[in-house]
Amino acid sequence: MNASLEGKVGLVTGAAIGIGRSVALEMASAGAIVMVSDVDERGGEETVREILDSGGTASFTRCDVSVAEECANLVASTVGAYGTLDLAVNNAGSGGAAATTGEYDPAEWRRVVGINLDGVFHCMHFELPAMLNAGGGAIVNVASVLGLVGWPQASAYVAAKHGVIGLTKAAALEYAGRNIRIAAVNPGFIEGGHLAEAGITSGSEMHAFLTGKHAMKRLGTHAEVAKAVVWMLSDEASFVTGASLSVDGGYTAS
Ligand SMILES: NC(=O)c1ccc[n+]([C@@H]2O[C@H](COP(=O)([O-])OP(=O)(O)OC[C@H]3O[C@@H](n4cnc5c(N)ncnc54)[C@H](O)[C@@H]3O)[C@@H](O)[C@H]2O)c1
C-alpha cells in the first residue's frame, strides 16, 4: 500500500539535505506539490531540481525557522504560489555544541532551542491558520529519540526535542476537532549526513557505539524516516494525532 498525497500542497523546512530533502522527494513522489525551505539556498534549490527532474512540482523559499517573521513569509509564499497549505513537515534542526549543562554556553543554548523548539512553534503558529482556511491539514514535527531519552553533553538539543513532542501533543488536542492532525517522528541515529561529515562512518569506534544503541544493530536511512513521515501525512494515518512514532530500529524499546 503506497500512501498518496495527490493534489496536496505541503512545505518542508530544513529540506536542503538529509532527512528534509528525503521527505521533500518522497512527498513529491506521493503526488504533493512541495515548497522546499532552508537557510541553505543552494541545497534547497538542488532539492527542487531533483523534484522537477522526476516530474514533480516544487519551488524554494528561504526561511530561518528561528525567526518568526520568516516562518510567516514561508507560509504566505506557499499559499501565494499554490493557493493553499495542506501539509507541513517541521524538520529543520541543529545538534549544537557538546558540553555538560554546567558548562553549556547560554548563547548556544538559546541558539539550539531557537532552531529546534522555537522553530517548530513559529512554523506551526503560521501553518495552523492557513490549514484552517484550507479546511484541514496534517503536520509532522521531526523530533528525535533524544526527545524520549537523555544524552550527555547535549542538554539544549535533548530539552528542545522533548519540547517538540510536548508541543505536538498540546497542539494536537487543540486542533483534533478541526480536521488538523499533528504528530511527531522520532528518528534514531541516521547513517551518512552530518555523522559522516564528523567521521562517524562504518568501522569507526563511535559508529560501532551508536549502532550498538539500536536493537537492530544498524543506523537508519533518510528514506526510512521519509517514508514514515509521508505515511503520517497521508489519509492512511487518519486516526493518528498527538502521537510520536519512533523510527529508531528499537533504540527506545529497551
Ligand atoms: N540525522 C540524525 O541522526 C537525526 C536523528 C534524530 C533526529 N534528527 C532530526 O532530523 C532533522 C533533520 O536532521 P538531518 O540529520 O537531516 O540534519 P542535517 O544537518 O543534515 O539537515 C538539517 C537542515 O536544516 C537546516 N537548518 C539548520 N538550521 C536552520 C534554521 N535555523 N532554519 C532553517 N533551516 C535550518 C540546515 O541548513 C540543513 O539543511 C533535525 O530536526 C534533526 O534534529 C536527525
Side-chain angles (χ1 to χ4, degrees):
M1 176 170 42
N2 284 331
S4 171
L5 303 179
E6 206 59 52
K8 305 278 190 191
V9 173
L11 67 81
V12 188
T13 67
I17 200 163
I19 291 172
R21 173 179 284 178
S22 201
V23 166
L25 294 171
E26 200 67 40
M27 286 171 70
S29 87
I33 294 168
V34 185
M35 180 59 81
V36 171
S37 180
D38 207 290
V39 287
D40 174 357
E41 297 184 29
R42 208 164 139 185
E45 293 289 4
E46 175 61 23
T47 303
V48 169
R49 198 189 55 72
E50 280 193 40
I51 292 173
L52 299 179
D53 284 353
S54 59
T57 305
S59 53
F60 177 77
T61 298
R62 188 191 183 282
C63 171
D64 178 342
V65 297
S66 67
V67 181
E69 295 73 21
E70 295 195 21
C71 299
N73 179 59
L74 170 60
V75 171
S77 304
T78 308
V79 174
Y82 302 119
T84 190
L85 179 69
D86 307 301
L87 311 170
V89 181
N90 300 316
N91 163 78
S94 175
T100 56
T101 304
E103 288 159 352
Y104 211 91
D105 175 11
E108 175 66 353
W109 169 280
R110 182 86 298 281
R111 189 189 72 81
V112 172
V113 174
I115 297 170
N116 290 288
L117 180 55
D118 297 9
V120 174
F121 166 70
H122 292 151
C123 288
M124 289 176 71
H125 181 68
F126 297 106
E127 290 159 0
L128 286 161
M131 288 181 181
L132 287 175
N133 280 341
I139 296 175
V140 175
N141 297 320
V142 179
S144 169
V145 287
L146 302 188
L148 296 171
V149 299
W151 189 267
Q153 305 211 23
S155 55
Y157 183 81
V158 168
K161 291 300 189 181
H162 276 70
V164 169
I165 293 173
L167 172 58
T168 299
K169 290 178 184 173
L173 294 176
E174 294 161 0
Y175 291 87
R178 292 189 268 177
N179 202 30
I180 301 176
R181 295 184 302 100
I182 306 164
V185 66
N186 306 320
F189 285 81
I190 302 303
E191 196 73 65
H194 56 248
L195 287 188
E197 278 166 27
I200 303 170
T201 51
S202 186
S204 74
E205 207 173 300
M206 188 59 178
H207 190 274
F209 173 74
L210 290 179
T211 55
K213 290 267 184 190
H214 301 72
M216 293 174 76
K217 302 301 177 210
R218 68 170 177 87
L219 306 187
T221 67
H222 294 128
E224 285 173 321
V225 179
K227 284 177 195 299
V229 169
V230 166
W231 175 77
M232 283 193 279
L233 291 172
S234 79
D235 291 343
E236 301 294 335
S238 52
F239 203 44
V240 176
T241 200
S244 71
L245 175 63
S246 294
V247 180
D248 70 354
Y251 183 118
T252 52
S254 65

